[in-house]
Amino acid sequence: MAISARLLEIIGGSAAALAAYAFFARRYVRHFENIDLETADVPGSFIDIDGRRVHYVQAGQGDPVVLIHGWNGSTFSMRYAIPELAQRHRVIAIDLLGYGFSERPQDGDYSIAGLGTLVARVMDALGIERAAVLGHSMGGAIAMWFAIHYPERVERLMLVDSATVSEMFRARNVGVAWRPVAPLFAPLFLNRSVIQRALRGAVHDRAVLTPEMVDGHLRPLRVKGHLRAQLKQLIDRRRDVPFDPASIRAPTLILWGEHDRVIKLSTGEQLARTIPNARLVVIRSAGHLPMEEQPELCNRELLAFLEEPLAHAPAAAARTLEPAG
């Protein structure tokens, strides 16, 4: 049956419109990702790990503490913890491969296992055999993986609103289908207003969302190659194997924002029941970013935990901390 001239005209016009939009979307990504790591002003230092430039912030002296940020986070997420912990400890906050001001190689390994191994390689390069390890959100899943696979290198474990196996593996099967078309949707989610809305959903008190905070979270997302690295992470997650937090042996402190809408408090409660030597501390008036919403409470609890004798077993009962005033 012959196709009418009108139908051919519609198909041709639609194809042209789609091609024009695809061209615009590619141009938009190049415009949005306008930070070049070669010339960027960064808060810390770079270290070469297997030919990749990894950015980290280091401060203080004493027993080492390694900080691992969450998804779309960076060392900026740790800005309140670094100076406080550094008063008594050597603090190393790492920008994971594909995040912050670290490199975003096309062939990088962005799986949980790959990023966990990167933490070990950074510790090697900095001469750290054993450390207290803190992970927030996705970084918590990486920290748990690290504690299970490198138990001799983790003196203490601190999990802040941590992702678990279920969160990290839930979306990995969408990567194959999503990756080819995601750049077309980039203009819809790679912009300041969307990032701002995401942060509003991550905090309890929106008054903390100052322009400086939004800019601090947004700037690393503008590094060239960020979207490409995020999409590859979905693919790489398919190689990850589930792990059991019950096999963690390090003393563990679990901090959780009471009003976390990203990863519910019930997840923290389950982790506290599962990890043998763990205790849960709930932070009032905080959502998914308690280290940024209630830094004084979090830092006080982290420092107290870091100073406890290793033989001290964390209390079984959960506690809830109220902010002053």
Side-chain angles (χ1 to χ4, degrees):
M1 181 174 167
I3 301 177
S4 69
R6 178 57 181 162
L7 181 58
L8 288 174
E9 183 180 337
I10 293 172
I11 293 172
S14 299
L18 181 60
Y21 177 78
F23 176 77
F24 160 75
R26 288 193 296 270
R27 290 286 299 269
Y28 181 89
V29 171
R30 287 197 294 270
H31 174 74
F32 182 85
E33 295 180 350
N34 60 3
I35 295 179
D36 190 332
L37 290 177
E38 295 296 327
T39 57
D41 180 22
V42 301
S45 306
F46 289 104
I47 191 168
D48 184 278
I49 303 295
D50 300 326
R52 313 297 193 194
R53 294 180 80 206
V54 175
H55 175 258
Y56 69 100
V57 173
Q58 183 170 215
Q61 295 181 341
D63 294 334
V65 180
V66 174
L67 309 179
I68 308 171
H69 63 77
W71 180 74
N72 269 344
S74 67
T75 56
F76 178 80
S77 310
M78 306 294 177
R79 66 194 179 282
Y80 296 127
I82 293 170
E84 291 300 313
L85 301 183
Q87 293 183 33
R88 305 180 197 174
H89 299 273
R90 179 188 178 191
V91 180
I92 301 95
I94 303 170
D95 273 341
L96 297 167
L97 204 67
Y99 292 94
F101 297 103
S102 287
E103 193 174 339
R104 289 153 169 77
Q106 294 189 49
D107 59 348
D109 184 354
Y110 300 102
S111 65
I112 296 299
L115 296 175
T117 302
L118 176 74
V119 172
R121 298 287 291 113
V122 170
M123 288 174 61
D124 290 342
L126 296 177
I128 301 170
E129 293 185 7
R130 186 174 171 86
V133 178
L134 178 149
H136 169 249
S137 195
M138 179 190 76
I142 294 168
M144 285 191 285
W145 182 95
F146 185 74
I148 292 168
H149 291 83
Y150 294 89
E152 73 286 353
R153 307 198 69 171
V154 179
E155 188 170 86
R156 307 165 197 261
L157 183 63
M158 296 163 286
L159 304 175
V160 183
D161 294 72
S162 176
T164 62
V165 169
S166 60
E167 284 86 21
M168 299 314 299
F169 287 77
R170 188 176 296 149
R172 65 180 185 162
N173 290 326
V174 307
V176 173
W178 176 241
R179 189 181 185 187
V181 299
L184 295 176
F185 294 92
L188 303 179
F189 58 80
L190 281 183
N191 59 72
R192 184 184 178 87
S193 62
V194 169
I195 302 302
Q196 210 161 358
R197 283 199 297 273
L199 287 170
R200 282 201 294 267
V203 299
H204 173 61
D205 182 2
R206 295 180 179 180
V208 303
L209 290 178
T210 63
E212 292 75 19
M213 180 179 177
V214 175
D215 288 341
H217 279 277
L218 178 63
R219 185 168 179 258
L221 307 185
R222 303 188 75 123
V223 171
K224 291 179 180 178
H226 184 75
L227 176 62
R228 181 185 64 210
Q230 292 300 293
L231 296 174
K232 189 169 188 301
Q233 185 173 117
L234 290 174
I235 302 296
D236 289 352
R237 291 265 173 84
R238 294 169 63 85
R239 300 201 305 270
D240 279 317
V241 177
F243 52 84
D244 184 5
S247 61
I248 294 171
R249 293 296 173 261
T252 303
L253 172 67
I254 302 171
L255 291 183
W256 220 274
E258 182 182 33
H259 304 282
D260 190 342
R261 296 186 295 274
V262 178
I263 305 177
K264 299 295 185 182
L265 175 57
S266 58
T267 299
E269 294 168 340
Q270 180 61 41
L271 280 175
R273 290 191 294 267
T274 302
I275 299 174
N277 197 17
R279 69 161 172 260
L280 171 66
V281 176
V282 179
I283 308 297
R284 282 270 169 86
S285 299
H288 189 61
L289 307 176
M291 295 175 69
E292 298 182 68
E293 284 194 85
Q294 299 294 342
E296 290 185 9
L297 282 182
C298 291
N299 291 336
R300 186 182 74 197
E301 202 65 21
L302 292 171
L303 283 168
F305 177 68
L306 290 169
E307 296 301 314
E308 287 178 359
L310 280 173
H312 179 77
R319 291 189 296 120
T320 300
L321 299 185
E322 299 273 1

